Amino acid sequence: MTGPKHAVVTGTSSGIGKAIAERLLADGWRVTGLSRTESSLGEGFQWLQADLSEPESLGSVVEAIGPADALVHAAGFQRTAPLGELDPSALAGMFTVHVAAASVLANGLVPSMPDGSRIVLLGSRTSTGSPGKSQYAATKAALMGLGRTWAQELAPRGITVNVLSPGPTDTPMLNDPGRAATPVRLPALGALVDPDDVAALAAFLLGPHGKSITGQNYVICGGASL
């Protein structure tokens, strides 16, 4: 008799990462959460401290994780500014957490993943462009390139790779002073995206019926992209 499937989820201390971890735990998964701030989500959950802004430090973390059936990279942050006021360090920081950390984790975990495993990357509705968010958009667009390339490489093993791209979501990130240059606007449906809705789609892609879906980008924006 096999035990529960094991998912590695980044950014489980709050927001979408936490919502996805909670949903997977409710679905019977075992979850290892990676974040700088400690997470405690109950039975079936293990927290490992990880600083995703320092990808070179993640090797020992990967060794401590052990084999996994899924990787969900949800950790991230946003810095906004219009052209003419861009801060190169903001771009470097976001690229490191969003893209470099994803690369290091997948590179370390995928070789030991069983065939039929899953990878989900958290992108953004803004990856196709949004005023004041050029640097953030660029880092999230890079995840599309990673995801589709990995999907092609891993298809022979039945490992799926997909990107979820939420619009304005009801998480603490919306109150981060670093994104004050772009005030939040309600999407067409009149409400912010519910992180539990993002988690539900992630759970589907990670589940048995996600086996035929790979290399895709799912926009969950409440109509913000209309």
Side-chain angles (χ1 to χ4, degrees), residues 47-194:
W47 174 70
L48 294 177
Q49 187 170 35
D51 188 346
L52 300 179
S53 69
E54 298 180 355
E56 65 278 2
S57 71
L58 297 177
S60 59
V61 176
V62 170
E63 291 179 2
I65 290 171
D69 301 286
L71 169 64
V72 180
H73 184 47
F77 68 99
Q78 185 176 132
R79 295 290 179 265
T80 63
L83 191 60
E85 300 176 18
L86 300 180
D87 179 359
S89 66
L91 175 61
M94 288 187 287
F95 189 88
T96 298
V97 172
H98 300 160
V99 184
S103 297
V104 170
L105 291 172
N107 194 58
L109 292 171
V110 165
S112 63
M113 280 184 168
D115 291 355
S117 294
R118 306 277 190 265
I119 298 174
V120 170
L121 305 173
L122 264 293
S124 171
R125 198 273 306 181
T126 64
S127 63
T128 56
S130 181
K133 300 180 182 180
S134 61
Q135 294 174 319
Y136 179 76
T139 67
K140 292 298 188 176
L143 291 177
M144 295 294 297
L146 282 185
R148 286 187 62 82
T149 302
W150 292 348
Q152 294 173 60
E153 292 180 7
L154 298 174
R157 294 179 54 195
I159 297 177
T160 66
V161 187
N162 291 288
V163 177
L164 295 182
S165 293
T169 306
D170 190 10
T171 69
M173 180 187 287
L174 294 187
N175 299 316
D176 188 332
R179 56 148 298 150
T182 56
V184 178
R185 292 184 296 177
L186 284 181
L189 289 178
L192 297 173
V193 175
D194 187 337

